[in-house]
Amino acid sequence: MPATASLTQHPTHWQGNFDAMACQCQLLIEPCPRAVAAKLLALAASITQQIESKYSRYRHDNLCFAINNAAGSAVNIDAETHRLLQFGDTCYQLSGGLFDLTSGILRQVWQFDGSDNIPTAQQIDSLMPLIGWPKVEFSPTQLIMPAGMEIDFGGIGKEYAVDKVAQTLKAVAPTLSILVNFGGDIAVSQPKADGSPWRVGISTVEDPTTAGQRVKINHGGLATSGDTERFLLKHGVRYSHIINPLTGYATVGAPAQLTVAASTCLQAGLLSTLALLHGNQAEAYIASQDVPYWLTSTTVTGDKKSK
């Protein structure tokens, strides 16, 4: 078990914790020998570290950096990266361009620190030519992207890690139900032996550190999107950290928080993000998707700074 991880026994389960991907990562494991729980926790931490090391935009020694600094040259990719790019392509097509892995470059002008520093139209317009998923060419072994453009895996990286950990632990421990929770992005490997669900608390808008409504889950994934901690506020208008890649502007008028259940954490995360991109039509959009969801409909207007 990694030195930074902790494992605690509770009456009904083991709880494992470690830090990665800028959040607290948690495993809840059905009763089993401590050695088994420790092995599963170590494996989860290892998988997560590998994904973060490979795809984090904050590193200068990984595949993401190589792609974003290739200046138009081809970059060799592996099968895992090809699958992620294929998922990104599918999301782009299904969303009509609202999901775009190349839109992360807008973070250069949008700083969601709770202030009123809204970028100018000129600043946004200067970056728009560098956004556009159709400009990216990729095969199972290579990727070519125009110079100056960037790919940001941040929109799917954590959800992908949650799903991969859950799937891997299910293969290693097929008789145990395991809940994987990375900062509120959740997947359950399989139902519990006795058929009872895991109960997950959704953080409240008023206090994101406090669990409010309890949601029951025995399989699949959950993901929550919202602007409770990352936003801008100017002249009474709250700008969400979720940016529309078609316009370059942050979303306004969306619900403060939306939690979605789906067959995987990746799917839940995509749906929750796309819904909020619809602004004041978010609930109409998510209701049309025929998935369970929990909505905080009142937009937060406080001035709490982003953490």
Side-chain angles (χ1 to χ4, degrees), residues 7-270:
L7 184 63
T8 306
Q9 186 173 25
H10 296 275
T12 60
H13 63 274
W14 289 97
Q15 178 179 324
N17 292 87
F18 61 93
D19 291 329
M21 296 190 167
C23 70
Q24 184 177 89
C25 301
Q26 182 183 85
L27 297 186
L28 302 182
I29 308 168
E30 279 193 295
C32 61
R34 182 182 182 88
V36 173
K39 176 183 176 182
L40 294 172
L41 178 59
L43 179 57
S46 175
I47 293 169
T48 306
Q49 189 275 331
Q50 290 171 17
I51 294 172
E52 184 173 22
S53 296
K54 189 174 182 179
Y55 298 115
S56 171
R57 68 172 183 264
Y58 299 107
R59 297 177 64 110
H60 293 173
D61 60 352
N62 64 358
L63 178 62
C64 185
F65 182 83
I67 291 172
N68 292 341
N69 290 274
S73 299
V75 177
N76 293 331
I77 61 173
D78 59 9
E80 179 180 44
T81 304
H82 183 248
R83 289 193 298 271
L84 272 179
L85 295 173
Q86 284 184 309
F87 180 78
D89 182 71
T90 298
C91 293
Y92 178 86
Q93 304 299 334
L94 292 177
S95 68
L98 282 177
F99 183 94
D100 191 324
L101 287 177
T102 67
S103 65
I105 198 168
L106 286 165
R107 69 181 180 276
Q108 293 182 9
V109 296
W110 286 97
Q111 305 291 327
F112 296 99
D113 55 6
S115 71
D116 63 353
N117 296 320
I118 308 299
T120 65
Q122 291 78 10
Q123 288 176 311
I124 295 171
D125 291 344
S126 69
L127 293 176
M128 293 305 290
L130 299 177
I131 300 170
W133 178 249
K135 301 173 186 178
V136 178
E137 302 176 23
F138 68 95
S139 71
T141 59
Q142 285 190 328
L143 179 147
I144 301 175
M145 185 170 62
M149 291 183 64
E150 297 181 4
I151 283 182
D152 186 348
F153 293 98
I156 57 176
K158 186 146 64 79
E159 293 91 340
Y160 170 69
V162 167
D163 284 335
K164 185 170 182 179
V165 167
Q167 293 162 5
T168 304
L169 298 191
K170 180 179 180 179
V172 172
T175 63
L176 295 175
S177 178
I178 302 168
L179 183 145
V180 183
N181 178 3
F182 288 5
D185 289 326
I186 293 168
V188 173
S189 64
Q190 63 185 22
K192 290 183 182 180
D194 63 4
S196 64
W198 294 101
R199 289 176 170 81
V200 177
I202 300 176
S203 63
T204 64
V205 173
E206 293 78 10
D207 183 358
T209 65
T210 303
Q213 183 175 3
R214 293 281 174 176
V215 173
K216 297 178 181 179
I217 178 172
N218 57 22
H219 68 281
L222 284 176
T224 298
S225 297
D227 63 1
T228 57
E229 296 187 34
R230 297 178 61 204
F231 61 90
L232 295 174
L233 186 65
K234 187 169 186 176
H235 301 320
V237 177
R238 189 180 180 92
Y239 295 81
S240 166
H241 74 280
I242 298 175
I243 302 175
N244 187 326
L246 300 177
T247 66
Y249 282 84
T251 305
V252 298
Q257 186 169 280
L258 174 65
T259 298
V260 175
S263 58
T264 66
C265 187
L266 261 176
Q267 292 174 359
L270 173 65

